[in-house]
Amino acid sequence: MGKITLFDKTFKPFIPYAEIEKAIGQVAERINKDFENSNEVPILLCTLNGAIMFTSELMKRLNFISELVTIKLSSYIGTQSSGEVSQVMGLTTDVKGRKVIVVEDIVDTGTTIVALKKFLQEQGASDIRICTMLLKPASYKGDVKLDYVAMEIPNDFIVGFGLDYDNLGRSYKDIYVLDTDSDGTPDTIINIPEKHMKYFILFGPPGAGKGTQATAMVENFHLCHLSTGDLLRKEMAAGSELGLKAKALINAGELVPDEIVEGMIEKQFDTVKGVEGFLLDGFPRTIAQAEALNAILAKKGEEVTSVVSLMIPDEMIKERIAHRAAIEGRADDANEEVIANRIRTYHDKTEPLVAFYKGAGKYNEIDGTGTIEEVRGRIADLMSKY
Ligand code: AP5
Ligand code: MG
């Protein structure tokens, strides 16, 4: 086992495959013992993508019948105030009344496993066991019991045996650790093709369903959802200087200054890692912002992937916002005059972007009317082409 390089980082050998196999054998033995007298078929719930290798090695060693189910979890870093957020998605089997053994590759702070266990409890699973190949005891802060732990490791950054660095490195059968003393001359250099991020713009008037549809799309396509409206509302709620500046403008249905949102977006591009791209919602909203976005991306050697434009008539905007006002209580939804001003602002300042992106050959229009599911299907069909 020599050193390996993935993108900008060098990793050195850490846990050889033989040791991994041995630890998996031991953990399988314990699970076999616990389930030997059970006459129910438990679900083996593999968390994608990291736990694929571990799950397959574990399954081979279980001597009872189990049903393999997969689930995809996503965790992303929000703003400082919201911290790390985990989302649970993609469970395709009904777990109600079933015993579930969750198979994880690694438990770090525990945010994801806590969220997953809560989700399975809500779905009515009768018994939930957690099995993880690796645990970082020094960083685990969860209150969920970890029933089966194959190996404990220090708080280091590792890759291999299913674990990745920005989606690379999963295929090594040994585990590698970040080489902090590296002089930059690794034993093995892996040729990595130039990797581009995706930058989708979810465009449309207020109330078109951008926020509603964004949630499903970021899960489907492994993107980070960036809504400038949500980011500004967080600043307002935190009472920051920026939030105070934005508040009066937002509550009057006016746009905040371009530099504010451009700065917020650039910061997110630079700090969010581990995603395949971004879904921009509510940005850009002026030609100046679109030009700034082009410049920010050009610095990174990137460009806008595609504009997905959700179109609904003005009357429907009012109906949808009135409906949301009753549920979410957003200050800029409460007053008809403010809503009318948001619609006016959209037509005056934001709609010119249609021609801008048509000219750049990036514009795709989608009918935003119909049920949420119908619109979701149309957007997913379009985005899957990129
Ligand atoms: P922002 O938060 O972006 O507000 P917006 O553009 O007015 O858009 P909304 O969030 O109101 O609508 P949405 O398209 O997300 O619709 P939703 O999914 O919620 O911005 C707020 C303010 O911040 C701006 O006015 C501005 O001041 C400032 N700002 C933000 N970005 C800025 C920028 N780049 N530059 C300068 N200033 C900026 O759906 C609406 C409702 O309809 C929901 O209740 C939903 O459940 C429902 N619904 C959705 N789809 C359907 C469907 N198919 N059928 C029935 N109901 C549906
Ligand atoms: Mg929104």
Side-chain angles (χ1 to χ4, degrees), residues 206-207 209-212 228 233 254 282 285 289 324 330 342 370:
K210 301 183 295 293
T212 306
T228 37
R233 280 186 288 277
E254 298 291 331
R285 250 178 157 98
Q289 288 177 22
R324 186 179 62 192
R330 255 173 64 172
R342 280 162 63 197

Side-chain angles (χ1 to χ4, degrees), residues 290-366:
E291 283 168 347
L293 175 63
N294 281 349
I296 292 168
L297 294 180
K299 273 195 277 176
K300 296 172 170 298
E302 300 278 10
E303 59 178 340
V304 169
T305 306
S306 173
V307 177
V308 181
S309 173
L310 278 185
M311 281 299 146
I312 64 168
D314 286 1
E315 276 319 300
M316 195 177 277
I317 297 178
K318 289 179 195 154
E319 279 165 32
R320 288 195 185 168
I321 290 184
H323 168 79
R324 186 179 62 192
I327 303 168
E328 289 185 17
R330 255 173 64 172
D332 60 345
D333 284 351
N335 174 316
E336 270 181 33
E337 246 173 67
V338 173
I339 296 168
N341 195 31
R342 280 162 63 197
I343 297 174
R344 238 185 344 261
T345 305
Y346 166 77
H347 288 304
D348 288 352
K349 303 206 164 127
T350 307
E351 215 165 37
L353 289 174
V354 172
F356 180 91
Y357 282 115
K358 271 187 184 164
K362 308 260 183 202
Y363 185 79
N364 296 284
E365 195 160 300
I366 280 188

